[in-house]
Amino acid sequence: MLLEGLSKLEYRGYDSAGIAVRDGEKDVRVVKARGRLSVLEEKTDGGRTVPGNCGIGHTRWATHGEPSENNAHPHVSEDSSVVAVHNGIIENYQELKEKLLRNGYTFYSDTDTEVAVKLIDYYYKKYKVGPIDAIAKCMVRMRGSYALAVMFRDYPGEIYAARKESPMILGLGDGENFIASDVPAILKHTRRVIYVGNLEMARITPEKAEIIDLNGDVIEKEVTEITWDAEAAEKGGFEHFMMKEIYEEPRAIEDTLHSAIKEGTIDISGTGLTEEEMKSFSSVWIVGCGSAYHVGMVAQYVLEDLAKIPVRVELASEFRYRQPLLAKDALVVIISQSGETADSLAALREAKRQGVKVLGIVNVVGSAIAREADYVFYTLAGPEIAVATTKAYSAQLIGCDLLAVALGRARGVLEEEKIKELLSDLLSLPGKVERIIEDKERIQWFANKFANINDVFFLGRGLDYAACMEGSLKMKEISYIHSEAYAAGELKHGTISLVEKGTMIIGVATQKRIFEKTISNMVEVKTRGAYLCGITSAGNYSMEDTADFVLYVPKSDEHFSATLTVIPLQLLAYYVAVNRGIDVDKPRNLAKSVTVE
Ligand code: AGP
């Protein structure tokens, strides 16, 4: 039952897995394995070597600690009195780990989850309280996100749970009950679920399922009948993973921000970079492929303006063969969601061959680029299933913004006051992205105008031009419409000859200093018959005088506007592709990770 349930959750993480099972009064048996779930299935002979009637399981997407058997869940306390699995990120796990070390605890893994388990064990033993009180005391201390399922050796036949931010449901069966991160895991056994609320706990036995609040009081919750089929359930009720992942962008941005903003200031020491090293870099090269390269194009403006450091952006497939003239004290930044892209890995090796330091901005813990880079900044976007990247792109952008602020401080060009302003603006982005997504129907309506067009131009200047590159790639790769991102000032040097009546043009203008310039370029194409959609920040209402249709994004510090303008661009491409009946999650000819040249 556990292995089958986990197989329905593999899309949420698949670098290692484990189960903990007990049969009546007997002790809990834990079996874990690195790699896909199939390795664990083989190791337990399909579960037959660990019979039992009560258990918890986990398939992992590493955030703290490499994928390994040791770091795989379930995690256990020293005497196995507490066993648990966890989905989420305990932000203050280091401070809690130090507290436990001072109280005689030792640790066998690098995970935040093991800290949570031993904190439960600590309160359970020190205060001699029951499971619910021990867990409640932990919830008060832990910051971050968690969906925890916990078994206590002294409480056979019972499973406890606690939730904050990370999703969790209870499944109500007949003579059996379930706890899971998501509906697909239990759909085979029941369609009756209770959604566990934030800061709520649960206690289940075969006969009973209770939701308990932080005061220890049982609370009544509504039972929901799931009507989705299994496949729709995997997408959380969304039609495609891509839309599900667009909805996850605020969370990916927030988790990535919180990994490097501590006590209100910037702290990227987790990458391994020291202030001294950051101060020593004379220039930055940013290297990536596809959308990762487009992140670099945006980051160039942010880094040069905030950190006052020269930046050069290169396609990995070009960089690896051009014998780049790297200064010894340069920093090469390799951006890669998968951390396995062949060209990007080759670019990393070329930089290291030249003795230049490499920082990887990567979404997959333990991936090749993460392992070979000198420093690693992990984006916390979680697994991205759709081939067209959305939340990973946004998290990478945030990673570069944070790097720019950290470099600016180390190089003495950003004062604390300015840093606080920038970080506060960054922390406002998740809410602003949410607001744009909420207004998606307007974009869906506009997408219907693309039904029979064959070309789209995306125009912008500066950082908006870089954002257009990503908008153009999204449109090409999932709707198969030819499109091109163009520096608005370049139009008159040739391309404007392509503009005729009805040509679709998307103009992006958020940068105040060059706003009027971009508008005048948009007027040029408008007078030649183009249909013009403008994307700009709220307040720039003069765009209505020029564009046929305007999409507004909330105001933000201009350095970070691409995090906002990319959302309508992603949604536009998505709706056009859906209108065209294309398989959005698996566009033709493309793979999620290009591990060959
Ligand atoms: C983006 O939508 C594409 N799927 C593709 O361009 C991707 O960004 C590129 O292949 C780089 O992949 P990586 O980030 O895993 O290195």
Side-chain angles (χ1 to χ4, degrees), residues 88-107:
I89 295 163
I90 311 290
E91 287 166 13
N92 61 332
Y93 81 100
Q94 289 289 17
E95 108 195 22
L96 296 172
K97 187 168 188 172
E98 276 138 36
K99 168 193 169 71
L100 290 164
L101 286 165
R102 286 195 302 275
N103 282 277
Y105 280 81
T106 59
F107 291 85

Side-chain angles (χ1 to χ4, degrees), residues 481-543:
I481 294 175
H482 170 260
S483 89
E484 213 165 334
Y486 235 81
E490 263 298 285
L491 271 173
K492 60 181 130 350
H493 300 283
T495 307
I496 200 160
S497 64
L498 292 177
V499 177
E500 55 193 15
K501 185 158 176 41
T503 303
M504 178 62 74
I505 292 187
I506 316 281
V508 181
T510 63
Q511 308 296 299
K512 201 184 302 321
R513 202 167 45 82
I514 44 178
F515 180 80
E516 291 309 327
K517 289 283 178 204
T518 309
I519 291 289
S520 63
N521 295 133
M522 291 164 75
V523 168
E524 280 166 26
V525 296
K526 185 86 185 88
T527 46
R528 286 163 177 76
Y531 183 94
L532 189 58
C533 163
I535 298 178
T536 188
S537 309
N540 295 333
Y541 301 118
S542 60
M543 189 174 271

Side-chain angles (χ1 to χ4, degrees), residues 289-292 335-339 341 387-389 396 473-474 477 594:
C289 300
S291 295
I335 300 178
S336 174
Q337 187 284 128
S338 62
T341 300
V387 166
T389 183
Q396 289 162 359
L473 175 61
K474 285 282 139 326
E477 68 176 325
V594 184

